[in-house]
Amino acid sequence: MKRSKVCLFAFRPEHYRQMEDYLNQMASEGWKLRWCRGVLAGFVPLEGPLRYVVDPHAVTTLACLRRYPKSRLQERMREGWYAAGRSKGCQILATEDPDLGSPLPERNLEPLVRSTCRLASLIWVLALAAALAWLLRSSAVVYSVILTNLYLVLGALAVFLLAYHGVNALLLTLPPREPRRPRLCGRYLVHSALLPVCLLAAIALELGDRGDMLFYLLIPIGVLLAAGLVLRSMAGARRDTSRLLPVVGLVSVVLFGMILFLNGRMSDANAAWSAQQRETLLARAGELPVLRLSDFGDTGERQQAVRTNRSLLADNLLYAEESETGYVFTNCTVARGEFLAEQIFRYLYQQAQRDNGEAFTPQAAGGRTLYVLREANACLLREGNLVYYFTIPQGEDLTACAGLLLGRSAEALPRS
């Protein structure tokens, strides 16, 4: 017989009776519940009789939706039961006495459990909707989400949770139906799978083709997996868990030291990679769709600065040159659609006026509208999915520079 096995265990709290039947069926087949985490449960071989009861503590208040009341557990223990595990909204109790009476009332608690879970989902919906509405009112937040993959993943996760709890509240409002497979609740499985998927997506999008950074991230994961296998083998070989404490302490110290070491190495590697990217861009500065001091006849010594922000929704390029006599700056964004470009435009429109302390003046030029800051000699324009904001030396022609930039962008940038 196998030493252990892991099964899907995605029961909803209102299906506590089906959960109880499943555990007792597993016990009759010689399997004892060892642990229950998320939508998974681990079982080990059972010696002797065992009976399970599932107490849905979600029937009381929202405060007890996640945690079983301690006083209630103590009462069950005095009756001869002990805690065997926890599933969402339910406490799993077990006893080796086959004649011990069930501590649960005979009446069906499913309506009370559904009511509590529905209320919890409605609170989630209201909280998430309010947070998203408040954040999306800020053009700076929208700008950051569009240009940063990490924020984009977090935003997608928030939208999913909003939809998940909305659907959950709706289904809990409808008349209950007998589930065909209560152990495999589709909503729970999707919810549990999306969290690691979002984490992996965020890591993949942030790292891109950075193999060195991926290596540094995989080291602690490998150590944790190895430590888990060692602890599992030791726990299976010895019932005295106190002997595991030195191993757990050693693993903790190793992980802490590794985190400190890897943090320094990753910071150094990231700084070196950023410097290399910057040097690569500066080496081909003549090909970038930006303004340069040489466009205005300034060919003297100059300092250059460049930075890129790339995401699934837009590519952004910041470029600046400065000499003793002049300064030029270009902010160029190519969005994956005109709606996204409009959000970028709105943020720059508000922020540029705030930074320079003056209002934009609309100016028609060549069939398009330029928004000009006269004192700062800056200009903002949008054409399709392309947004430009640039600053040039005083006395130079903003209209001519706008045409120059659009011509360079047509040669160097993808447009939709």
Side-chain angles (χ1 to χ4, degrees), residues 40-76:
L40 297 176
F43 294 85
V44 294
L46 171 63
E47 298 177 1
L50 191 66
R51 187 160 62 94
Y52 289 100
V53 163
V54 177
D55 189 354
H57 52 88
V59 300
T60 50
T61 63
L62 286 176
C64 297
L65 181 62
R66 293 283 184 179
R67 188 171 296 278
Y68 195 65
K70 185 180 293 186
S71 59
R72 197 158 153 186
L73 179 59
Q74 292 173 347
E75 180 182 352
R76 298 293 180 259

Side-chain angles (χ1 to χ4, degrees), residues 9 55 293:
F9 201 78
D55 189 354
L293 287 174

Side-chain angles (χ1 to χ4, degrees), residues 67-254:
R67 188 171 296 278
Y68 195 65
K70 185 180 293 186
S71 59
R72 197 158 153 186
L73 179 59
Q74 292 173 347
E75 180 182 352
R76 298 293 180 259
M77 293 177 68
R78 287 194 295 268
E79 295 171 352
W81 299 87
Y82 65 88
R86 286 186 298 178
S87 184
K88 188 173 294 185
C90 295
Q91 177 67 51
I92 302 172
L93 304 170
T95 182
E96 298 176 356
D97 184 355
D99 300 322
L100 189 63
S102 173
L104 301 184
E106 294 184 0
R107 67 189 179 96
N108 185 15
L109 301 176
E110 181 177 344
L112 293 175
V113 179
R114 289 172 62 90
S115 177
T116 305
C117 294
R118 180 174 62 248
L119 179 58
S121 283
L122 288 174
I123 291 176
W124 269 105
V125 168
L126 292 175
L128 287 169
L132 287 174
W134 182 75
L135 289 172
L136 293 178
R137 289 178 57 190
S138 169
S139 59
V141 172
V142 176
Y143 180 84
S144 299
V145 170
I146 293 174
L147 293 180
T148 310
N149 281 324
L150 179 59
Y151 294 154
L152 181 60
V153 172
L154 292 177
L157 179 60
V159 171
F160 166 78
L161 290 176
L162 177 62
Y164 170 83
H165 285 287
V167 170
N168 195 50
L170 176 61
L171 293 177
L172 290 174
T173 302
L174 299 174
R177 297 184 302 174
E178 187 66 25
R180 289 184 300 174
R181 294 185 297 175
R183 185 171 64 90
L184 303 176
C185 176
R187 304 199 298 280
Y188 274 10
L189 293 175
V190 172
H191 179 274
S192 299
L194 191 75
L195 296 180
V197 167
C198 284
L199 176 61
L200 292 175
I203 293 175
L205 290 172
E206 286 298 306
L207 294 183
D209 56 354
R210 301 282 308 280
D212 55 339
M213 299 291 280
L214 182 61
F215 173 74
Y216 289 139
L217 288 174
L218 289 177
I219 290 178
I221 295 176
V223 172
L224 283 175
L225 291 176
L229 292 174
V230 171
L231 291 175
R232 180 179 176 182
S233 63
M234 293 181 66
R238 303 184 180 91
R239 294 191 177 275
D240 184 7
T241 57
S242 63
R243 298 185 180 184
L244 299 179
L245 292 179
V247 179
V248 174
L250 177 62
V251 171
S252 301
V253 171
V254 170

Side-chain angles (χ1 to χ4, degrees), residues 327-380:
Y327 172 79
V328 64
F329 167 77
T330 307
N331 181 333
C332 172
T333 303
V334 181
R336 309 288 188 262
E338 295 192 14
F339 173 78
L340 297 173
E342 178 63 25
Q343 309 312 308
I344 298 291
F345 177 87
R346 288 182 181 180
Y347 168 73
L348 293 175
Y349 185 87
Q350 297 174 8
Q351 191 63 37
Q353 292 180 109
R354 189 179 298 116
D355 291 343
N356 292 281
E358 61 172 310
F360 276 113
T361 301
Q363 176 179 313
R368 64 179 64 92
T369 302
L370 308 181
Y371 295 85
V372 175
L373 296 175
R374 301 193 183 281
E375 294 184 11
N377 209 28
C379 178
L380 174 65

